Amino acid sequence: MTNPSSPTSGVQLLEVSPEYAGQRIDNFLRTQLKGVPKTLIYRILRKGEVRVNKGRIKPEYKLQAGDVVRVPPLRLPDRDEPEPVAQGLLQRLEAAIVYEDKALIVLNKPAGIAVHGGSGLNYGVIEAFRQLRPDAKDLELVHRLDRDTSGLLMIAKKRSMLRHLHEALRGDGVDKRYMALVRGYWPTAKKQVSAPLLKSNLRSGERMVEVNPEGKEALTVFRVLRRFGEFATLIEAKPVTGRTHQIRVHTQYAGHSIAGDSKYGDDDFTREVREMGGKRLFLHAYELIVPMPDGSQLRVEAPVDELWSKTLERLSA
């Protein structure tokens, strides 16, 4: 599908190729209609303005090869004029790449940068990389990191790599490890937390997660890396399942919340760490072991930022 050169397009008919079979219509339209706000895509779906094979469908409809999708006239930005991303951010993200080949980018995402636009943000990592790599037409996030979490983030440049990695993530083939600075003395014997997690949205639209028997099964494996007396512990966290905010909620549930966590943290602990210069969420995705399509393994590590390092130096002084 190509965007028209004029800002307003007429009716578009998109034929679904086999590689998109099984994808939800809303996700398909988000990848095809670059630059169109998600809210507009969901609005035309809700109003029944998108037709598949001339019939109305729901946003959760799964496409089949050969389907013909009718998209109503939309205002689209010119493909050659994407929402400009600040040059400074582009340079930071280019410098943050730790691995790149023809099908995959892995970067060490800085804390404080969202992975995609939305919720009042015009752009995030994925929008920036679409500007940095304009020739890669199928750039998609493989997974997500919370805005305030730093560390390793994968972006697929080809749909075949995206499908391969999604399958690996579902089948427990990807080994992701995080470092977290938590409150108090984490016992060496506490090697895992298994507690079901339930997502809910507050009136403000903010997403909260809590341990709840009605939630989805969630398991995180932990290991002590370094102690700072009784005050704090640096731990490694390996999420076996991939639930939203999993590590943050499991550490809180264990009684050892993460420093700088405004949502699930301990205000007094966060304040004391901040006084040492630690003004960030102390959760960092530092190691990734990924099975590649050719049967090899890719292993990448990402160093922590200077603020993190200096805070730990002050803690150990």
Side-chain angles (χ1 to χ4, degrees), residues 59-219:
E60 58 270 21
Y61 173 80
K62 291 193 175 175
L63 293 163
Q64 297 173 25
D67 277 351
V68 176
V69 181
R70 178 195 179 277
V71 181
L74 294 171
R75 280 195 62 80
L76 293 175
D78 191 318
R79 183 65 190 250
D80 299 325
E81 296 177 21
E83 175 78 26
V85 178
Q87 200 60 37
L89 175 58
L90 291 178
Q91 288 168 359
R92 276 181 82 192
L93 292 175
E94 185 77 59
I97 295 171
V98 294
Y99 174 85
E100 184 171 8
D101 63 20
K102 289 179 183 176
L104 181 66
I105 296 170
V106 185
L107 73 143
N108 182 4
K109 184 187 84 67
I113 299 175
V115 295
H116 57 75
S119 305
L121 299 166
N122 288 333
Y123 49 76
V125 170
I126 190 63
E127 289 82 7
F129 269 94
R130 284 177 183 146
Q131 196 165 317
L132 284 166
R133 300 286 184 276
D135 294 336
K137 304 298 185 194
D138 289 321
L139 277 183
E140 293 293 342
L141 292 164
V142 174
H143 59 115
R144 299 182 181 196
L145 285 180
D146 293 340
R147 182 177 179 177
D148 295 324
T149 301
S150 57
L152 294 166
L153 179 70
M154 294 185 283
I155 299 173
K157 294 161 85 171
K158 294 186 175 178
R159 289 203 61 79
S160 55
M161 178 61 85
L162 184 67
R163 281 198 304 274
H164 166 77
L165 291 175
H166 277 171
E167 204 171 304
L169 283 162
R170 278 196 300 271
D172 197 25
V174 177
D175 188 335
K176 287 192 284 187
R177 298 187 185 231
Y178 293 73
M179 276 191 274
L181 182 68
V182 300
R183 189 189 76 165
Y185 186 97
W186 184 286
T188 308
K190 185 175 277 299
K191 297 190 186 301
Q192 65 176 51
V193 172
S194 177
L197 299 178
L198 183 68
K199 274 194 288 196
S200 59
N201 288 322
L202 302 180
R203 276 187 186 168
S204 62
E206 188 182 5
R207 180 178 284 176
M208 289 293 287
V209 178
E210 62 176 8
V211 171
N212 187 307
E214 293 176 14
K216 290 183 177 177
E217 175 193 0
L219 172 65

Side-chain angles (χ1 to χ4, degrees), residues 123 194 248 268 290 303:
Y123 49 76
S194 177
R248 295 165 64 183
D268 291 338
V290 185

